[in-house]
Amino acid sequence: MKALPQISEAEFEVMKVIWKHAPISTNEITDKLTQTTKWSPKTIQTLIKRLVTKGALSYEKQSRVFVYTPLIEEKEYIGRESHSFLKRYYNGNITAMLSAYIEDDKLSESEIDALRSLLTKRTNRRD
């Protein structure tokens, strides 16, 4: 199991754009993020450089444009981060986490239905 880089919240926002649109150029990343954040293009370029340094992104120069591709998969990263969150805040007990969300009305009926469906599918696979 390879180690995944530590990614800040801001870097994660950049990664979400890249995961969705890769391969993607610096200008395209900047255009998308300036629509949803108040970051300057310089800030976005700094975040991209950090992600390259951390090994989360690779790039290729195509004529005068840098085009970025993720080196880590979104599903793998989110799964690892979710597991870390669960371990840190709920001592690895997913039942405690879900109970806390349900009791505090943090899950909508449709989210509860989706979870119920996932659990049913999982139960049926074991049979």
Side-chain angles (χ1 to χ4, degrees):
M1 185 180 291
K2 68 179 179 182
L4 293 176
Q6 281 297 123
I7 295 177
S8 71
E9 288 295 318
E11 292 164 346
F12 184 69
E13 291 303 312
V14 174
M15 288 300 296
K16 288 194 303 189
V17 168
I18 295 168
W19 280 320
K20 187 173 183 178
H21 302 285
I24 185 170
S25 71
T26 308
N27 289 340
E28 291 170 318
I29 297 168
T30 302
D31 289 345
K32 292 184 184 311
L33 286 169
T34 54
Q35 292 174 21
T36 59
T37 68
K38 294 181 179 183
W39 299 337
S40 72
K42 185 95 172 131
T43 297
I44 294 166
Q45 289 174 3
T46 299
L47 292 168
I48 292 169
K49 286 177 189 172
R50 285 184 192 165
L51 288 164
V52 169
T53 301
K54 290 179 177 187
L57 295 177
S58 67
Y59 67 90
E60 181 180 298
K61 191 170 184 181
Q62 296 178 357
S63 66
R64 298 173 57 150
V65 177
F66 288 94
V67 176
Y68 295 88
T69 306
L71 291 175
I72 56 177
E73 292 183 36
E74 180 178 21
K75 186 175 181 179
E76 179 184 13
Y77 185 79
I78 291 173
R80 189 84 52 93
E81 286 298 303
S82 298
H83 198 228
S84 175
F85 173 84
L86 179 63
K87 194 173 184 179
R88 179 181 301 147
Y89 295 103
Y90 294 95
N91 211 22
N93 186 336
I94 194 163
T95 303
M97 183 190 79
L98 288 172
S99 293
Y101 274 77
I102 291 168
E103 289 169 13
D104 291 340
D105 290 327
K106 292 180 181 173
L107 294 177
S108 68
E109 285 302 317
S110 64
E111 289 170 322
I112 292 169
D113 288 342
L115 286 171
R116 187 177 288 117
S117 175
L118 286 170
L119 291 170
T120 301
K121 285 179 190 174
R122 176 70 182 190
T123 303
N124 290 341
R125 277 198 328 215
R126 288 184 179 170
D127 294 341

